[in-house]
Amino acid sequence: MRNSIQILGSLVMLVLLASCQDKDYRNYQYMPNMYEEVSYETYGNYDVFPNGMEAMLPAEGSVSRGWMPYGYEDSTEGYEAAKANLKNPVPYTEDNLNEGKALYTIYCAICHGDKGDGKGTLAKREKILGVPAYNDQGRAITEGSIYHVTYYGLNTMGSYASQTTEKELWLINHYVLDLKDALDGKPKRAFENADSSETVTTDEAVEEHQMTEEAQTEE
Amino acid sequence: MKQGKYLNSASRFSLITLALLLSFSSIVFAQEATADEGAAESETTAAAQGGDAAAGKALFNANCAACHKLYSRATGPELYNVTERRDRDWLYRWIKNNKELRDSGDPEAIAIYEEYNQTAMNLFPQLTNADIDDILAYTDTPKPEPKAPVNAGGGAQGGGGGVSSTIILAILAVVLVMLVAVLFLVNNTLRKFAVAQGVELPVKESRKPIWKAFVENQFLVLVCVIVLLLGGAYFAYGWMMQVGVDQGYQPIQPIHYSHRIHAGDNQIECKYCHSSARTSKTSGIPSLNVCMNCHKSISEVADQTSEFSSVTEDYSKEFYDKEIQKLYKATGWDPATQSYSGETQAVEWVRIHKLPDFAYFNHSQHVSVAGVQCQTCHGPVEEMEIMYQNAPLTMGWCINCHRETDVKMDGNPYYEKIHEELSKKYGVEQLTAAQMGGLECGKCHY
């Protein structure tokens, strides 16, 4: 009798030990002195914020250092204007093109395909249909229209401004036009010489460019 | 009687296998039948309209499907039976150059432009009248009837197939238990017979109880105590070392998001959604606008029978469709009108990988600078239906990798000088993170 009670007891102990760590819950901690944040954690959930979200929106119309708002509005007119007037401020160099290719592979190739012919994985699997090739005649994309569409999105395509910076969008832009040339059978563009004689770094060039855009649209 | 029961279960087993076989054959039949029907349908419509619906489908998927669906509104109106609603010549002109048509003051064209929030349709000058005929033939294809009865039958039988392995196991277990019982009974009756017949059974001699023998053997007791102590120490140490380690942590998320479907089946690049891993300390959970990039047009998962199925036996298509509806609820997207209501509700994802606040970890310097693969630390995420923590994320685990991994020096001008000096000091060509000072307290704990 006593023996069976002991066996039963040890069994219960074993089960208890095994259930101490459950995959649905975090493991217990020993004296968690500085484990939890005193400060607000990125993407945390705190009661003091509206909706509990730590990630609050900046005030509308504010401009942070190193960033300029985009001058064209999200409409058909804005699209036409960008298509006609907007130019790529980032120099067309080999490094920039390679960076653009890497980013294109991450963000665009999944639908538009590695060659830009609209045959990406999602299109092949018929998840997303109607992805046009870059040399589609009815669309006739230009560098301005590519930037406008990647910035705002167009109909079914979403905006990519939250995943990339302005400069990265321009880098992708270079590579997209490269793919379009390849589809059209045109020869490759000659690389610009990115020597230091101009002394303007790319970021500054983007900024300056967008400031002038802003000024133009305000006029 | 027991034998009878055994027979019964055996016959049940064979019945189940028969049902299983039948179910497979019936599914095959069903698919063939529907495929034939579909082909027949498209042939008849093509004949009636003077266009090739099959060629039209290819053209439609390449050119039109970005904005149009056949049976429901997308960016543009649904196109089923558009030939009955509009004049064919008007359609030719509209599809080729709708802007010209609008500018010419056609009231019909302007009305539809206004109805769809002045969203201009793309121009398709490259399409010929024959192409458009093909596309229109395709848009006249009636909606395929839901194959509900066939599917339901197949599903139920398929379900039987899934359950049957457990049933077979249960039957085997029952059979085993019965065998044991039968043996026991046979033994008992034989003994009874022996007693009745007066046959003497061999009687075992009573031996010294084993525990007494054990206690008398002092050496054996000593060895056992040592083994027990060592074993106890092993388990106590192992237990203490797992305190505060969350390896395998797999909480239930508010939306059943499957990395298997997105990163595995569809091969979406990790950094597509977790884009801040490239540039920021925190590789954030993507905001819902990233979800809507694709799910604006993907409101349902693929059918279970389709070639590119994402649906498994554990989770049905209905289950996944409901999860996508949760996303629409959170973003306030209405798929019927293709518009946002403005009522949003953030999704409260449960964070799995968490370091204590006194450790500093930066994603971008590991991902962009060092070029570490995501799977090195997070495990085979593309195979995870539900996300879990793969690595222990303990300090020993971090240090170990810093000792073994070489720093990526090529093409990084920052390292040119450092590499020259340090490789001379250590007499090596490649430097590990540890040799670069990657084990100093201040590097991670400040």
Side-chain angles (χ1 to χ4, degrees), chain B residues 58-133:
Chain B
L59 283 168
F60 182 87
N61 283 351
N63 294 300
C64 320
C67 300
H68 291 285
K69 289 182 178 173
L70 277 193
Y71 314 109
S72 63
R73 182 179 167 152
T75 308
E78 71 268 22
L79 290 183
Y80 176 52
N81 266 349
V82 70
T83 44
E84 283 176 19
R85 278 177 276 143
R86 309 267 177 211
D87 182 50
R88 197 165 267 263
D89 284 325
W90 184 88
L91 280 173
Y92 289 150
R93 289 178 62 198
W94 169 265
I95 292 169
K96 279 183 189 161
N97 198 336
N98 70 86
K99 192 165 180 296
E100 201 179 76
L101 192 63
R102 273 188 282 119
D103 291 345
S104 72
D106 186 280
E108 234 178 323
I110 290 166
I112 194 144
Y113 179 65
E114 295 296 327
E115 190 188 334
Y116 283 85
N117 306 326
Q118 311 199 333
T119 310
M121 181 168 135
N122 286 315
L123 315 182
F124 294 97
Q126 74 271 33
L127 293 177
T128 62
N129 278 5
D131 285 339
I132 294 174
D133 274 337

Side-chain angles (χ1 to χ4, degrees), chain B residues 365-417:
Chain B
Q365 79 185 73
H366 287 86
V367 173
S368 296
V369 182
V372 179
Q373 285 296 311
C374 307
Q375 282 85 348
T376 315
C377 303
H378 292 288
V381 177
E382 71 278 5
E383 292 161 15
M384 296 180 189
E385 179 68 31
I386 303 168
M387 187 68 192
Y388 59 85
Q389 181 174 328
N390 182 68
L393 301 190
T394 54
M395 186 164 150
W397 175 79
C398 293
I399 300 262
N400 198 34
C401 193
H402 276 196
R403 286 205 174 114
E404 289 169 353
T405 313
D406 288 336
V407 177
K408 211 173 90 184
M409 304 261 178
D410 349 314
N412 196 338
Y414 177 81
Y415 284 126
E416 271 168 19
K417 200 129 193 219

Side-chain angles (χ1 to χ4, degrees), chain A residues 23 27 41 125 130 156 160, chain B residues 61 66 242 250 266 272 351:
Chain A
K23 67 174 184 171
N27 203 347
E41 189 193 358
R125 306 187 83 203
T156 309
Y160 283 77
Chain B
N61 283 351
Q242 59 82 44
Q250 190 180 43
N266 290 326
Y272 184 97
R351 184 173 179 179

